Each structure stands twice: as structure tokens, then as C-alpha cells.
Amino acid sequence: MLNIALPKGRLGDQVYALLAQIGYDCGSIYEQNRKLVFESKENNVRYLLVKPSDVAIYVEHHAADVGIVGKDILAESRPDVYELLDLGLGKCRMCVAAKSDYMEDKDRTLRVATKFVNIAKDHYAKLNRDIDIIKLNGSIELAPILGLSDVIVDIVESGSTIRENNLKIIEEFMPISARFIANKTSFKFQNETIRQMVDKLSMVLNQIEGR
Ligand code: PRP
């Protein structure tokens, strides 16, 4: 049986629809209950519903064979997994943003609030810019508003959160989308099953995008 780690939340619904298109229907996932494991005997798969930021952890540690996860999480946590396919879902971009009247002072250490500590450090290391990181876990946009940081490094999807909190985007530096990943051992021993899944996903994506 193939264990598939799927993200809960906004990316989840798009992922379930895509899986249904390749015959891996996870219909009962839509039921409003607190179940976290769903089995499809027909396809010989088990779906595990996990927090988006935990998908790669389940796959890396072989609690799941494959999973679907945002590139932001992969870039941040750099798990030892195979990244097999860009699904083109959940598209957004990693940005630097600040209050709309923010003016940078290059002589001062920049205070950066973010969930993505490694991504932010890498970004500013490339720019040779000294920073202090303030690690937050959510509602990052509050940090510059309250003077906790000068800027934030965060994902922007529709741009509503930035707009509605009177912030401005200063830089966009990393396009993000959902990726299909596999555990390295599973890829070796369940290669045929995983490859077939990747092929089917590629076919459906090509049809959708006409590529
Ligand atoms: C993410 C991100 C931004 C927002 C961007 O937060 O951290 O706050 O979405 O989306 P938008 O451009 O469409 O407004 P999330 O909704 O995951 O919640 P969080 O604040 O708890 O991290």
C-alpha cells in the first residue's frame, strides 16, 4: 500500500481535485470530520492528512512514501527527498514587504520577521546585507505595522493580506508552487507505482495547460 501525505488547508482542495483526475479519488476526505487517515482499497493507497509544513517530514522519515508540498517548505527545510514533479498548483511568490512609507537605511542592520528563516538568511547573504531575524509562526504582516521588524519575508498569493494591511512589496525573489515528492527508499522499492503516478499527473497537467 502506498502512503500519500497530503496537505490540509487551501492547497489541499486543489490537490484532492487533481488526484481525482488521475483516478486516485480521495472523496471521503471532503467529509467534515476529524479523520486524518483515508484508505482507498481500490487503488491500494492510504492518504494521510497533515499540516502543509509537515508533509516533507513524513516523507523524509518514511512515514509516507510520497507527498505533495509547497516549494517554500522544501526551500526552507531542505528535506532529503526526491522532488519529482512541479504540479503548478498553489502558485505564489516569496517576497520582501514593508510598511508603505518604509525607506531603507543601508547603514543599519535590517530587522526581518519571517516564518522562513533559512530562505530569508540565504536571500540577504546573497545581497551581503546584515540582518537580525525575528522568527514568527503566522500573521507575519503584523510585525512591521507594530515596529517589531523593518521588513517581512513571506509568501504572497493574491496580495490581499499585503494590501489590506497597508504594506508594499519591495522584492519578489522566488516563485513557489506545489511539488510531488518521494521518499528515497520508497522510490527504489515502489518505483513502478510511483513512476506511474508521476506519469499520470504529468499527462493531466499537460492537458490542463495545453503544454
Ligand atoms: C499566508 C502568508 C500570508 C498570506 C498571503 O498566510 O503568510 O499572510 O497567506 O496570502 P494572500 O497574498 O492571498 O493574502 P496563511 O494564510 O497561511 O496564514 P498565517 O498568517 O497563519 O501564516
Side-chain angles (χ1 to χ4, degrees):
M1 183 165 274
L2 194 74
N3 286 306
I4 308 178
L6 297 179
K8 295 198 277 187
R10 51 169 137 174
L11 179 59
D13 293 345
Q14 297 177 53
V15 167
Y16 313 149
L18 179 65
L19 287 174
Q21 285 190 64
I22 64 160
Y24 283 81
D25 200 342
C26 28
S28 48
I29 276 183
Y30 291 104
E31 284 169 17
Q32 293 297 310
N33 61 31
R34 304 284 299 164
K35 246 178 98 164
L36 300 172
V37 182
F38 295 86
E39 256 181 46
S40 164
K41 293 233 161 57
E42 198 186 322
N43 289 315
N44 206 25
V45 298
R46 186 186 292 132
Y47 301 106
L48 314 168
L49 279 194
V50 305
K51 264 189 90 135
S53 53
D54 290 341
V55 168
I57 299 173
Y58 280 82
V59 174
E60 182 177 23
H61 294 275
H62 210 177
D65 301 298
V66 297
I68 291 171
V69 59
K71 182 68 183 174
D72 51 336
I73 312 287
L74 295 176
E76 177 62 23
S77 60
R78 295 162 206 161
D80 188 21
V81 297
Y82 290 131
E83 187 183 316
L84 299 177
L85 188 64
D86 182 351
L87 300 177
L89 303 175
K91 280 193 178 160
C92 53
R93 57 254 191 234
M94 191 62 68
C95 294
V96 177
K99 270 171 71 172
S100 52
D101 59 357
Y102 172 71
M103 304 269 283
E104 184 168 1
D105 176 356
K106 294 221 154 108
D107 296 329
R108 274 189 44 224
T109 300
L110 190 69
R111 294 170 307 148
V112 182
T114 188
K115 280 189 272 204
F116 301 100
V117 171
N118 293 324
I119 292 175
K121 279 185 182 165
D122 282 359
H123 178 65
Y124 285 105
K126 280 185 201 142
L127 300 174
N128 238 340
R129 182 78 166 95
D130 284 336
I131 60 164
D132 280 336
I133 292 271
I134 297 142
K135 163 89 167 85
L136 295 176
N137 299 300
S139 302
I140 316 296
E141 290 82 359
L142 262 179
I145 296 171
L146 298 178
L148 178 63
S149 74
D150 301 309
V151 299
I152 61 172
V153 167
D154 199 13
I155 46 172
V156 174
E157 190 174 355
S158 64
S160 323
T161 316
I162 291 286
R163 259 192 317 277
E164 289 176 26
N165 290 289
N166 298 316
L167 303 180
K168 64 179 175 189
I169 293 174
I170 295 175
E171 275 181 272
E172 293 186 9
F173 63 93
M174 186 190 283
I176 312 278
S177 55
R179 308 298 158 99
F180 186 80
I181 59 169
N183 171 273
K184 289 189 166 176
T185 306
S186 304
F187 191 67
K188 200 168 166 188
F189 292 104
Q190 287 174 277
N191 190 272
E192 186 63 26
T193 315
I194 295 174
R195 277 197 178 282
Q196 274 178 15
M197 212 171 161
V198 170
D199 288 347
K200 284 183 192 164
L201 285 167
S202 305
M203 232 152 64
V204 168
L205 293 171
N206 287 343
Q207 281 164 7
I208 294 170
E209 291 170 24
R211 54 188 188 188

